[in-house]
Amino acid sequence: MLYIKCPHCGLRSQNEFAYGGDASVKRPELNKEISDQEWDEFVYLRKSPRGKHLELWHHVSGCRQWIKVLRDTSTHEIFNTYKSEEKVG
Amino acid sequence: MQKYSFLSLIKNAFSGHKGWEVAWKDPTPKKEYDVVIIGGGGHGLATAYYLAKEHKITNIAVIEKGWIGGGNVGRNTTIIRSNYMHDENGLFYEKGMDLWRSMSQDLNFNIMFSPRGIINLAHSDAQMNAYARRGNSMRLNGIDAVLLDREEVKKKVPVLDFSDNVRFPIFGALMQPSAGTARHDAVAWGYARQADSMGVDIIQHCEVTGFDINNGKIQGIKTSRGDIKTKKVGLCVAGSTSILAEMLNMTLPIETHLLQACVSEPIKPILDHVVTFGAGHFYCSQSDKGEMVMGGDLDGYNSYAQRGNLPTLQHVLTEGIAMFPFLSKLNMLRTWGGIMDMSMDGSPIIDKTHIAGLYLNCGWCYGGFKATPASGFTFAHTIAQDRVHELNAGFRLDRFSTGHLIDEKGLGTKTWIS
Ligand SMILES: Cc1cc2nc3c(=O)[nH]c(=O)nc-3n(C[C@H](O)[C@H](O)[C@H](O)COP(=O)(O)OP(=O)(O)OC[C@H]3O[C@@H](n4cnc5c(N)ncnc54)[C@H](O)[C@@H]3O)c2cc1C
Ligand SMILES: [Zn+2]
């Protein structure tokens, strides 16, 4: 069982959360000319690192906020959690 | 190479089984090879075998960081099928079915192929319609498919819950009678033994740590046991693909996720087919030893740990018990996990890359065991001829940017929910 510290609610079990994937992926800016390459990178390409991974989780059975979690993909250790708008690093 | 037969078994029994030769050697890596295959899983070994057999290239090394069969080839639930709707997948996997049927003879190794049929349950009229469509697409590609009604399912699998008060009543099913299971370790060992006998070096406990690329061309690889020169490298590392891609400065349309499976204690024969739940993700078959072999959803977050987590198992087994109430009485014998190279459309990639001499084989998701022979066959062709085979022509790396996805389930890019 993973235990995730929601920045709004505190420590909760993974059962209350839904996963949202790599949080470092940025949607291309609105109202800008966007190349196919940029869309490809945004929609399909993922680093999928072994080690530290900043990712989105949705506290869906709690406060329903999206949060960011810094987690190790090989040990599953969670280093830190952040509010969605918080700057990381 | 010593031939395995009934006669050789008797002969060796009389000499106390001391006369068996090793199945494959343990060579030290040479300085240079014509082709290096990275990854000694099913796909890597099959690729080496078909390179030697079909293309007469035998100066090959298969480089494996652990041991043969220690990856997903030895961790899967052994389901073999070709019940796909899209032509690219259907025709590719059906080629695989042909190779599966003759594999024990071809490899002189009993891989225990058991075409017991797969039954995909449907729990609504809409699902029956969707299965009818899929079945028709399959039959157009020459793949066997039968639509079963509720009574026919009941005859084939009486232990399913057919009572009236279930949340997902069984309306019927789509069956592929020629689908089945095989012994996964035997597949790895069978390919390894034959490849070795044709001159392929199978090098275990040797990790690839880097690549030597010059002017956009592969020159060699770096390993924990020294540098090896080669002009052609085939990548067959399944769940570790993104790690090697990073060494190559490539970002791929795949993510690595964790999948678990489990077996119950052995019981007397009760289930003759492979059966899948249609209202969630659970599947089950009974092994020759009598264990119920079960699996389902991914753990649901990026992971390189070959070790799972209990909430997913509980979720998967809840579905299992909804289908087969008797499962609740059984003890669990063993659970385990493997890491999956989940592609963004659920279909594989077998292609050349922008680096000359570097070939990519990945994106197998949780269905790559059944692909083993067809993957090896087409990848060997791609490497030997430096062009794709017609059967893997759709499995292009650039199909994501060009929009030619092969999306069987239409689930989109959230790989962890597919
Ligand atoms: C629980 C589970 C159930 C599954 N069930 C099914 C099923 O029922 N049907 C089905 O068709 N598929 C199933 N699969 C999927 C299937 O097992 C895989 O898609 C398939 O085995 C992947 O190909 P492979 O055999 O070549 O991979 P692997 O056996 O994983 O081979 C890759 C090899 O590369 C090696 N490697 C990695 N990095 C390096 C490096 N740097 N240097 C050298 N070597 C390296 C690894 O050690 C490994 O041995 C399942 C998988 C799991 C985990
Ligand atoms: Zn919360």
Side-chain angles (χ1 to χ4, degrees):
Chain A
M1 181 77 79
L2 299 181
Y3 287 95
I4 301 173
K5 192 172 157 219
C6 173
H8 310 282
C9 312
L11 200 65
R12 300 296 178 90
S13 96
Q14 84 183 74
N15 290 336
E16 294 186 11
F17 294 85
Y19 187 61
D22 188 337
S24 68
V25 176
K26 283 225 162 44
R27 192 185 196 285
E29 261 174 62
L30 281 177
N31 305 324
K32 238 188 67 187
E33 196 53 45
I34 293 150
S35 66
D36 288 357
Q37 174 75 28
E38 280 169 288
W39 274 120
D40 193 25
E41 279 166 20
F42 164 61
V43 181
Y44 297 116
L45 303 186
R46 298 290 178 269
K47 289 250 176 283
S48 189
R50 178 173 60 181
K52 282 189 178 167
H53 190 231
L54 187 68
E55 55 203 21
L56 294 166
W57 288 78
H58 189 194
H59 196 185
V60 69
S61 302
C63 63
R64 301 190 63 82
Q65 296 294 313
W66 283 93
I67 62 167
K68 288 185 211 159
V69 176
L70 188 64
R71 192 180 57 91
D72 192 303
T73 58
S74 59
T75 62
H76 297 171
E77 180 181 357
I78 294 173
F79 303 104
N80 218 337
T81 55
Y82 310 85
K83 292 181 184 165
S84 64
E85 70 280 7
E86 232 174 295
K87 280 263 170 297
V88 179
Chain B
M1 187 187 61
Q2 201 175 24
K3 197 164 154 41
Y4 293 160
S5 68
F6 188 54
L7 212 67
S8 72
L9 191 62
I10 295 178
K11 223 174 83 193
N12 278 285
F14 280 113
S15 54
H17 290 294
K18 293 199 181 82
W20 295 112
E21 291 168 10
V22 293
W24 56 86
K25 298 175 279 295
D26 183 21
T28 7
K30 290 192 276 191
K31 289 264 165 298
E32 185 164 2
Y33 289 93
D34 294 340
V35 179
V36 169
I37 303 296
I38 308 177
H43 293 223
L45 293 166
T47 303
Y49 169 71
Y50 290 111
L51 274 169
K53 183 179 173 221
E54 305 286 334
H55 305 279
K56 311 294 173 233
I57 300 173
T58 55
N59 186 22
I60 304 174
V62 176
I63 308 286
E64 166 55 50
K65 76 171 173 188
W67 64 94
I68 300 301
N72 287 342
V73 70
R75 292 166 188 263
N76 61 74
T77 44
T78 78
I79 300 169
I80 293 165
R81 58 190 175 85
S82 59
N83 53 357
Y84 286 87
M85 193 167 81
H86 289 303
D87 294 349
E88 292 90 342
N89 283 327
L91 296 171
F92 174 83
Y93 286 109
E94 189 55 16
K95 166 74 184 177
M97 295 307 292
D98 282 342
L99 294 169
W100 281 112
R101 285 186 271 268
S102 56
M103 194 184 291
S104 289
Q105 286 72 28
D106 191 24
L107 298 181
N108 178 229
F109 204 106
N110 187 1
I111 59 137
M112 296 166 78
F113 179 52
S114 162
R116 58 184 70 181
I118 188 166
I119 295 177
N120 304 121
L121 297 178
H123 309 273
S124 67
D125 285 328
Q127 207 168 12
M128 283 300 280
N129 287 342
Y131 277 158
R133 180 177 176 226
R134 181 153 129 200
N136 285 334
S137 305
M138 288 165 61
R139 291 170 76 135
L140 284 172
N141 280 331
I143 303 163
D144 58 324
V146 190
L147 205 58
L148 305 176
D149 64 24
R150 183 178 156 94
E151 287 310 307
E152 289 167 316
V153 177
K154 204 169 182 173
K155 257 191 232 130
K156 289 194 188 303
V157 197
V159 288
L160 282 165
D161 191 349
F162 286 98
S163 57
D164 293 330
N165 57 351
V166 293
R167 173 68 183 82
F168 298 106
I170 294 163
F171 276 54
L174 180 66
M175 179 172 188
Q176 183 187 6
S178 67
T181 58
R183 177 166 185 208
H184 49 195
D185 319 271
V187 174
W189 298 335
Y191 276 125
R193 174 167 160 269
Q194 286 291 344
D196 173 273
S197 79
M198 289 187 282
V200 173
D201 279 0
I202 295 169
I203 298 160
Q204 304 182 72
H205 304 292
C206 178
E207 181 167 358
V208 173
T209 54
F211 294 85
D212 180 7
I213 297 163
N214 202 343
N215 267 329
K217 288 197 194 109
I218 276 281
Q219 308 290 329
I221 57 165
K222 299 184 197 316
T223 82
S224 55
R225 291 169 69 178
D227 295 355
I228 297 172
K229 276 198 211 142
T230 184
K231 297 259 181 298
K232 289 188 173 187
V233 172
L235 218 62
C236 290
V237 293
S240 301
T241 304
S242 296
I243 301 171
L244 278 94
E246 195 188 345
M247 299 176 194
L248 291 156
N249 278 324
M250 287 170 77
T251 309
L252 297 174
I254 60 176
E255 271 181 359
T256 291
H257 283 268
L258 172 58
L259 181 70
Q260 301 190 66
C262 58
V263 293
S264 74
E265 59 188 316
I267 53 173
K268 289 195 172 163
I270 190 168
L271 185 61
D272 298 336
H273 311 283
V274 181
V275 183
T276 74
F277 189 43
H281 204 169
F282 173 85
Y283 57 84
C284 187
S285 67
Q286 189 169 18
S287 76
D288 295 328
K289 286 181 277 182
E291 303 147 330
M292 305 307 290
V293 183
M294 302 171 278
D297 282 312
L298 296 172
D299 269 33
Y301 39 81
N302 290 49
S303 176
Y304 284 93
Q306 295 184 94
R307 167 173 50 81
N309 207 338
L310 284 175
T312 306
L313 268 189
Q314 187 178 22
H315 169 72
V316 167
L317 293 171
T318 306
E319 295 174 73
I321 290 166
M323 263 171 74
F324 296 111
F326 80 93
L327 287 179
S328 68
K329 304 266 196 312
L330 300 184
N331 290 307
M332 178 89 79
L333 197 64
R334 204 163 59 240
T335 79
W336 66 93
I339 54 170
M340 327 299 320
D341 36 337
M342 301 297 297
S343 73
M344 291 286 160
D345 61 356
S347 296
I349 296 161
I350 308 179
D351 204 357
K352 298 164 60 170
T353 64
H354 69 285
I355 301 167
L358 181 80
Y359 305 86
L360 190 60
N361 177 314
C362 65
W364 293 103
C365 305
Y366 31 67
F369 176 64
K370 64 177 177 293
T372 307
S375 165
F377 184 83
T378 55
F379 198 41
H381 178 282
T382 306
I383 294 172
Q385 314 268 331
D386 195 37
R387 65 189 161 86
V388 295
H389 187 276
E390 58 177 9
L391 285 173
N392 65 312
F395 298 152
R396 300 169 63 99
L397 175 57
D398 70 2
R399 69 174 182 270
F400 299 90
S401 55
T402 61
H404 295 89
L405 306 193
I406 313 169
D407 197 342
E408 287 284 333
K409 299 196 213 145
L411 280 174
T413 60
K414 305 279 179 285
T415 57
W416 55 92
I417 55 170
S418 60

